[in-house]
Amino acid sequence: MNREGHGNFVGAVKPQSMHFDQPLSFRSGTMLREYDLAYETYGTLNADGSNAVLVCHALNASHHVAGWYENEPDNIGWWDNMIGPGKPLDTRHFFVIGVNNLGGCFGSTGPATLNPETGKPYGSSFPVVTVQDWVEAQTRLADRLGIKRFAAVMGGSLGAMQALQWTISHPERVANAVVVAAAPKLSAQNIAFNEVARQAITTDPDFHGGDFYEHGVVPKRGLRLARMIGHITYLSDDAMMEKFGRTLRSGSINYHFDVDFEVESYLRHQGDKFAEYFDANTYLLITRALDYFDPARDSGDNLTSAMAAATARFLVVSFTSDWRFSPERSREIVKALLDNRRHVSYAEVDAPHGHDAFLLEDPRYHALVRSFFEQVHARL
Amino acid sequence: MNATPRNPATLNGRPDFEAIAAWIRPGSTVLDLGCGDGSLLAYLAEKVQVTGYGIEISDSNVLACVRNGVNVIQSDLDRGLAGFDAGSFDYVILSQTLQAMRNTEAIVQEMLRVGREGIVTFPNFGHWESRMQNLLGRMPVSDSLPYQWYDTPNIHLCTVKDFKAFCTTHAVRITDSLVLHRGRPVSILPNLLGSLAVFRFERAS
């Protein structure tokens, strides 16, 4: 990402942290007695607290949604092209909140955090978290920030699932929802990819059943593989062909099993980078939260019944080349909303980048989000 | 980006909008196929408090609907209304789009599967101006047909008489109709003097 020539920016931001000492019970039956949530905010909360927008993150992202850090000018928020003064989600009008989910590895309480009861990292004992649990934790942050009702909850991919869950669990607290590159639940193929990624991690000898911290090692080989397989599913076949083709690293075939093709080099680089900063247990937890997400499950597998509670106005956006969460999956959400006569607009953006398109700056996509938020602002 | 107007002839008075609004029960549900920039749905929401959704294929029209606060579903009408349950809407409207559909028969049947009633509006190819231009050896170009033969999206043009005949052979019962010219109802020789036809229909039982 480039900070020059893209209009206005949030600028330097400071991550914040809030401590919660009221226990949080999880769907799995376990609980955390206390926890911290790392978050960032951009823009200003208005007097009646009505202009707050919660931005939920996907698999490998964090509360660092926009702007950069004073001491790390290259650490730019993951949705900086979407959020800022004059951006589609305009921080001159909205108070935007990014929060790192529980179980994460960017500041919120997670598997690498020291368990106050044992003095050791939670590791394998960290509760299996669900999207519902995350939403409950987010409601507590909202309470503490004085936000009774969000002007909007927004997310892409797993972040979109949180937005959906918000509209079902707390309809009175969500006026609008922006649901991008989403699915109402994972398919068997989606779960299969997650399982391969988890197997890569759990079979790494350095994983130590999830308690690798005390061994002073990191299951980097597993994380690398998990990232590589994940990354393939975020891109479209066309996007990969366009980006790498069959280009050879050294210009000729070397008859070995080291890197020959550019795409191999790219995947290894992505894997290496990821293994340096991401927590293996967090990867397991987040992919599991994806697998378990299925709001229709509690309503007799009927998504229309599940969405009956939702009262928000929705913008649902999918991307034609997204084979991980294809447009058909978004249409399931749209149909459930239509069945309930909810306000919903749905756009299918013809973008070539696959699932990752939701993070990129496609002018049609950004214009839709911008127009939707202009309406949200007008109704404040 | 500006939405393409459906039809310059109806932009000012929107006589077809008024006719449609008069037929619609307040508070009912409406699906508008090929809804353009959503102006009909916005009009109906204001006048008769409908809960409405538009269907549009074009990116710029979808954006215009979002900008206008109108619910819109991006979809290709020529692939039918597969995502919509039978009888799920009170009215299904096809305004100034019938003549641009590839599968005209299929879409009319789909309208009456998904909606209890259907409403279509289309430019009347039987209007005397069209007939005259044709007689003089040129394809008609007028306020209601503002295209040249080589750039027109209209591939299934018909006359008021043609549409009535179509309904008879396709188990469609016309319950109301109106033919307009320059915003005024035409009662004498409507197929000759009217440029815009508005039909309301249901399934013939």
Side-chain angles (χ1 to χ4, degrees), chain A residues 108-186:
Chain A
S108 291
T109 299
T113 309
L114 291 184
N115 180 347
E117 285 169 39
T118 63
K120 290 200 289 191
Y122 281 99
S124 60
S125 71
F126 196 88
V128 171
V129 286
T130 63
V131 169
Q132 289 106 310
D133 299 327
W134 284 336
V135 167
E136 290 320 300
Q138 290 161 3
T139 62
R140 293 189 181 183
L141 179 67
D143 292 342
R144 292 268 290 271
L145 293 174
I147 296 152
K148 291 192 177 68
R149 187 171 192 249
F150 281 104
V153 180
M154 176 184 192
S157 190
L158 176 58
M161 290 170 167
Q162 293 161 60
L164 271 183
Q165 189 63 50
W166 261 97
T167 66
I168 297 168
S169 300
H170 302 283
E172 73 291 349
R173 301 190 72 167
V174 191
N176 299 274
V178 179
V179 172
V180 185
K185 62 183 174 204
L186 295 201

Side-chain angles (χ1 to χ4, degrees), chain A residues 315 331 334-335 337-339 341-348 364 367-368 371-372 375, chain B residues 29 53 59 62-63 66-75 79 83-85 88-89:
Chain A
L315 175 66
R331 284 174 180 271
V334 172
K335 171 147 194 329
L337 290 166
L338 269 171
D339 288 345
R341 303 283 180 237
R342 297 298 182 249
H343 286 288
V344 54
S345 280
Y346 168 65
E348 212 165 281
R364 290 157 299 178
L368 285 162
S371 295
F372 187 77
Q375 287 284 319
Chain B
T29 56
Y53 302 88
D59 288 340
V62 168
L63 177 61
V66 172
R67 188 169 287 157
N68 293 332
V70 170
N71 296 319
V72 63
I73 313 295
Q74 190 161 27
S75 193
R79 297 206 311 233
F84 295 90
D85 294 338
S88 55
F89 281 85

Side-chain angles (χ1 to χ4, degrees), chain A residues 59-278:
Chain A
L59 211 162
N60 62 324
S62 70
H63 52 292
H64 186 35
V65 179
W68 58 83
Y69 298 139
E70 202 85 70
N71 55 348
E72 291 175 78
D74 292 329
N75 187 351
I76 300 167
W78 57 272
W79 224 352
D80 193 74
N81 61 26
M82 183 67 87
I83 294 147
K87 299 264 177 75
L89 173 47
D90 194 334
T91 49
R92 293 173 305 183
H93 303 314
F94 294 103
F95 177 64
V96 180
I97 303 168
V99 54
N100 185 210
N101 284 323
L102 282 177
C105 52
F106 295 107
S108 291
T109 299
T113 309
L114 291 184
N115 180 347
E117 285 169 39
T118 63
K120 290 200 289 191
Y122 281 99
S124 60
S125 71
F126 196 88
V128 171
V129 286
T130 63
V131 169
Q132 289 106 310
D133 299 327
W134 284 336
V135 167
E136 290 320 300
Q138 290 161 3
T139 62
R140 293 189 181 183
L141 179 67
D143 292 342
R144 292 268 290 271
L145 293 174
I147 296 152
K148 291 192 177 68
R149 187 171 192 249
F150 281 104
V153 180
M154 176 184 192
S157 190
L158 176 58
M161 290 170 167
Q162 293 161 60
L164 271 183
Q165 189 63 50
W166 261 97
T167 66
I168 297 168
S169 300
H170 302 283
E172 73 291 349
R173 301 190 72 167
V174 191
N176 299 274
V178 179
V179 172
V180 185
K185 62 183 174 204
L186 295 201
S187 66
Q189 188 194 45
N190 294 149
I191 295 170
F193 278 119
N194 283 347
E195 172 59 5
V196 174
R198 282 191 297 266
Q199 284 286 316
I201 289 169
T202 56
T203 58
D204 185 324
D206 286 337
F207 183 62
H208 296 285
D211 296 312
F212 50 87
Y213 313 99
E214 50 207 80
H215 293 85
V217 292
V218 170
K220 284 192 179 177
R221 281 163 290 182
L223 272 167
R224 280 177 87 224
L225 280 176
R227 180 58 172 170
M228 285 164 85
I229 185 116
H231 211 90
I232 296 167
T233 69
Y234 306 147
L235 301 175
S236 68
D237 190 15
D238 286 349
M240 282 185 110
M241 205 58 201
E242 168 114 345
K243 195 165 181 177
F244 310 107
R246 291 179 51 86
T247 308
L248 295 164
R249 201 81 219 277
S250 64
S252 61
I253 287 176
N254 290 307
Y255 301 99
H256 62 192
F257 297 108
D258 206 347
V259 169
D260 247 356
F261 295 96
E262 277 294 350
V263 67
E264 298 173 307
S265 162
Y266 173 80
L267 281 178
R268 289 182 188 202
H269 174 70
Q270 290 295 326
D272 287 339
K273 231 170 52 176
F274 190 67
E276 285 302 320
Y277 72 83
F278 209 79

